């Protein structure tokens, strides 16, 4: 047992340790109190043509922002919070909702769904000083300089052109592919895609011939008559870049016509997995293709898959590892890394929409920074999407299984349409 004298000797140290503990606690509380939260506006489609895929998109982009806020932003004194708004994938609805969204959130960045967001907002964003980031491919109508709407991928037409160039070469024939296009005039994005592909075919007659472009309603149910017309015209591949409903209707039409051997090519937002699910079974999409310039949801162990697994286990992301989830991850990563760069340069209090845009334009993002979700990326002021080092990945369904067919297929040089 210590004597009173010994206790008196120890007491100053205890006081000192206690003081240090209190100081540390105060510093910790102060640091916690000084975390600045910035708002992100999430445009979504919960009741329109993309309602069936929106859960994966929104949950995965929210998961990325939660991860970044906890594991990156916390040490920088910054957090990102997203609030979603249902726009029904409608240009008029986006335009109508935006003033209220801006007033309520004063967001430093917007995460959108697709072409309707670009179409509705691209004229307003320079005045509002906030960037729109999309996980989809880009659009020809937005291909201009000084843009505030950004796509992490080149245009859908760039991606389709890469696929057709690859497929024509793979055919071993000198004859061009004969493509039938299923499109719609309900969205400026849909119109942009088929016009761009028609221009590519005109410029590259040895690669591609568009036999006809067929226009349908937004969510068609029966396309047997239209598909039959394309088949009679000799189409050897059908392009459906609109939505899952159109893919389902096209596939059912081919099956009913006994022409299941004619492949359909789709993109990420209406990909093989979501279309297969809508058809009742992935094997229903046997022999069809999807193509886009980001990671693909194959079963292989990749950095992108490992990152997704972390989001699901540690950040409670309730989503499947699909192309739609990867789109959501990609746009959120682009946004978070841009905010991260702003904080490093201007501090936690310096994040503004204008500063985020400047970071997007000035800071390349190596693929490692996106965990392989995106390739090496570099924006410029000349276009709203990367224009250098472009490549795509291609997948198919083989024996009922999702399979990665080709990686890093180069995108051909294209002129504007």
């Amino acid at each position: 047992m210590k004597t009173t004298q010994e206790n008196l000797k120890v007491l100053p140290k205890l006081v000192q340790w206690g003081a240090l503990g209190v100081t540390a606690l105060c510093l910790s509380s102060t640091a916690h109190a000084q975390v600045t939260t910035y708002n992100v506006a999430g445009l979504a489609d919960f009741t329109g043509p993309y309602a069936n895929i929106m859960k994966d998109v929104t949950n995965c982009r929210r998961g990325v922002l939660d991860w970044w806020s906890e594991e990156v932003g916390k040490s920088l004194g910054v957090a990102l919070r997203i609030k979603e708004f249902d726009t029904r994938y409608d240009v008029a609805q986006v335009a109508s909702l935006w003033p209220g969204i801006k007033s309520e959130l004063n967001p430093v960045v917007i995460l959108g769904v697709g072409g309707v967001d670009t179409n509705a907002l691209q004229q307003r964003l320079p005045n509002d000083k906030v960037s729109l980031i999309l996980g989809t491919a880009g659009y020809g109508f937005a291909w201009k300089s000084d843009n505030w709407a950004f796509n992490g991928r080149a245009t859908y037409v760039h991606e389709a052109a890469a696929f057709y160039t690859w497929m024509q070469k793979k055919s071993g024939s000198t004859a061009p592919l004969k493509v039938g296009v299923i499109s719609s005039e309900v969205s400026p994005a849909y119109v942009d895609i088929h016009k761009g592909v028609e221009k590519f075919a005109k410029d590259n007659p040895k690669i591609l011939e568009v036999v006809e472009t067929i226009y349908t309603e937004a969510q068609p149910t029966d396309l047997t008559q239209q598909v039959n017309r394309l088949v009679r015209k000799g189409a050897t591949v059908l392009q459906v870049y609109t939505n899952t409903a159109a893919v389902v209707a096209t596939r059912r039409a081919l099956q009913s016509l006994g022409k299941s051997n004619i492949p359909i090519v789709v993109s990420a937002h209406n990909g093989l997995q979501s279309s297969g699910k809508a058809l009742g079974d992935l094997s229903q999409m046997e022999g069809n293709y999807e193509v886009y310039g980001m990671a693909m949801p194959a079963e292989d162990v990749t950095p992108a898959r490992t990152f997704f697994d972390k989001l699901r286990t540690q950040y409670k992301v309730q989503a499947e590892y699909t192309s739609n989830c990867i789109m959501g991850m990609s746009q959120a990563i682009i946004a978070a890394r841009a905010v991260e760069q702003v904080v490093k340069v201007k501090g936690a209090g310096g994040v503004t929409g204008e500063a985020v845009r400047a970071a997007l334009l000035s800071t390349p993002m190596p693929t490692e920074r996106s965990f392989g979700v995106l390739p090496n990326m570099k924006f410029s002021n000349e276009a709203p999407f990367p224009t250098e080092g472009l490549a795509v990945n291609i997948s198919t369904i083989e024996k009922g299984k999702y399979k990665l067919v080709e990686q890093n297929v180069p995108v051909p040089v294209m002129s504007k349409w």
Side-chain angles (χ1 to χ4, degrees):
M1 184 173 179
K2 294 182 181 293
T3 63
T4 302
Q5 190 67 26
E6 288 173 326
N7 283 332
L8 288 173
K9 289 179 181 179
V10 173
L11 185 59
K13 292 184 179 180
L14 291 174
V15 171
Q16 183 181 28
W17 293 337
L20 287 173
V22 171
T23 302
L25 181 62
C26 289
L27 288 173
S28 175
S29 299
T30 302
H32 181 74
Q34 289 179 343
V35 172
T36 303
T37 299
Y38 291 99
N39 290 326
V40 176
L43 307 183
D45 173 18
F46 297 118
T47 54
Y50 295 110
N52 64 313
I53 69 167
M54 201 49 47
K55 176 183 175 182
D56 282 356
V57 174
T58 56
N59 283 346
C60 288
R61 67 189 186 187
R62 181 181 295 272
V64 168
L65 297 183
D66 288 346
W67 159 81
W68 185 89
S69 297
E70 177 62 27
E71 299 193 23
V72 180
K74 182 182 285 187
S75 63
L76 300 174
V78 170
L80 295 173
R81 180 183 64 191
I82 188 169
K83 182 175 180 179
E84 312 283 1
F85 298 85
D86 184 11
T87 68
R88 303 196 300 270
Y89 198 72
D90 179 86
V91 174
Q93 184 74 354
V94 176
S96 175
L97 289 176
W98 170 242
I101 295 171
K102 182 178 181 296
S103 176
E104 177 185 346
L105 296 185
N106 188 27
V108 296
V109 68
I110 311 162
L111 301 185
V113 177
V116 297
D117 306 316
T118 301
N119 192 262
L121 300 180
Q122 64 178 344
Q123 301 301 323
R124 304 183 183 202
L125 298 178
N127 291 327
D128 294 336
K129 305 297 182 186
V130 57
S131 293
L132 167 69
I133 299 176
L134 301 165
T136 58
Y139 311 96
F141 61 77
W143 191 346
K144 58 184 181 179
S145 58
D146 301 320
N147 217 297
W148 287 72
F150 295 89
N151 298 81
R153 294 151 50 195
T155 70
Y156 286 102
V157 181
H158 279 90
E159 295 183 345
F163 172 78
Y164 292 133
T165 303
W166 169 83
M167 191 177 195
Q168 195 282 328
K169 184 177 180 180
K170 180 174 174 285
S171 72
S173 170
T174 57
L177 299 175
K178 292 191 174 184
V179 179
V181 178
I182 303 291
S183 187
S184 175
E185 294 182 300
V186 300
S187 164
Y190 299 165
V191 175
D192 177 75
I193 294 167
H194 71 245
K195 287 191 176 298
V197 169
E198 288 168 354
K199 177 67 162 56
F200 176 74
K202 182 179 179 181
D203 293 344
N204 299 272
K206 293 183 179 181
I207 296 174
L208 187 67
E209 175 191 344
V210 176
V211 299
E212 186 182 354
T213 295
I214 287 179
Y215 306 99
T216 74
E217 59 269 31
Q219 293 179 281
T221 55
D222 184 4
L223 293 176
T224 305
Q225 183 179 352
Q226 295 91 329
V227 170
N228 189 38
R229 189 162 77 240
L230 295 176
V231 171
R232 291 201 312 270
K233 289 188 175 184
T236 55
V237 58
L238 301 184
Q239 174 183 303
V240 186
Y241 269 32
T242 52
N243 53 51
T244 303
V247 178
V248 170
T250 302
R251 183 61 173 170
R252 284 177 174 156
L254 287 170
Q255 290 170 338
S256 68
L257 294 168
K259 298 292 183 179
S260 297
N261 61 317
I262 297 178
I264 303 169
V265 59
V266 300
S267 189
H269 61 276
N270 61 341
L272 297 173
Q273 291 174 323
S274 56
S275 297
K277 184 177 180 181
L279 280 161
D281 186 86
L282 190 60
S283 64
Q284 295 294 312
M285 290 299 291
E286 184 81 16
N288 296 287
Y289 295 95
E290 68 180 17
V291 55
Y292 42 84
M294 62 181 189
M296 290 190 150
E299 290 298 321
D300 310 61
V301 177
T302 62
R305 178 58 190 255
T306 301
F307 181 53
F308 167 77
D309 288 340
K310 180 175 185 174
L311 297 182
R312 187 161 57 178
T313 57
Q314 297 184 28
Y315 294 93
K316 301 179 180 179
V317 167
Q318 296 180 350
E320 298 298 320
Y321 187 58
T322 63
S323 57
N324 303 306
C325 168
I326 294 171
M327 280 197 299
M329 290 167 62
S330 71
Q331 62 181 154
I333 288 172
I334 293 170
R337 292 306 192 191
V339 170
E340 185 177 332
Q341 179 63 21
V342 173
V343 176
K344 289 179 179 178
V345 174
K346 296 179 174 291
V351 182
T352 63
E354 197 165 11
V356 169
R357 179 178 182 270
L360 288 169
L361 291 172
S362 64
T363 313
M365 187 172 74
T367 185
E368 294 80 11
R369 296 274 287 164
S370 71
F371 305 99
V373 170
L374 292 163
N376 294 330
M377 274 189 49
K378 182 180 180 182
F379 288 114
S380 75
N381 203 36
E382 302 306 310
F385 46 81
T387 55
E388 297 179 6
L390 301 177
V392 298
N393 300 318
I394 300 170
S395 288
T396 190
I397 304 299
E398 186 177 294
K399 296 180 181 178
K401 302 291 185 182
Y402 184 91
K403 180 182 178 182
L404 186 62
V405 176
E406 201 76 58
Q407 298 184 72
N408 299 316
V409 176
V411 172
V413 176
M414 297 187 62
S415 57
K416 294 182 180 180
W417 51 92

